[in-house]
């Protein structure tokens, strides 16, 4: 067996284990696409340090008191008709 190939497989397993053990250390782009709306998936999809309800772009016109959990973008705030 090739030593390089063995290390590559072992390195992948190590990275995978670390990603599972420390989910906050993975990039949000690697976690996107889990099937749920970005504004209720528990991930900082836009990379601004704010997650879901705390992200102004998950609230009607950025008003933090009007949360839109079904909105699927943490980069553009929804309009009233989009915030259902």
């Amino acid at each position: 067996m090739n030593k390089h190939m063995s290390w590559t497989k072992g390195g992948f397993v190590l990275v995978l284990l670390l990603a599972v053990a420390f989910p906050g250390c993975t990039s949000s782009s690697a976690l996107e696409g889990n099937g749920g709306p970005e504004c209720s998936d528990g991930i900082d999809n836009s990379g601004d340090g704010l997650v879901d309800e705390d992200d102004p772009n998950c609230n009607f016109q950025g008003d933090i008191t009007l949360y839109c959990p079904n909105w699927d973008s943490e980069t553009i705030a929804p309009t009233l008709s989009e915030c259902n």
Side-chain angles (χ1 to χ4, degrees), residues 22-66:
F22 302 101
C25 295
T26 59
S27 74
S28 62
S29 61
L31 298 172
E32 288 182 24
N34 64 3
E38 285 188 8
C39 288
S40 59
D41 63 2
I43 300 169
D44 177 14
N45 303 94
S46 58
D48 62 0
L50 301 169
V51 178
D52 299 344
E53 190 171 356
D54 295 328
D55 194 316
N57 290 320
C58 288
N59 296 273
F60 168 63
Q61 294 185 341
D63 181 347
I64 206 75
T65 63
L66 299 169

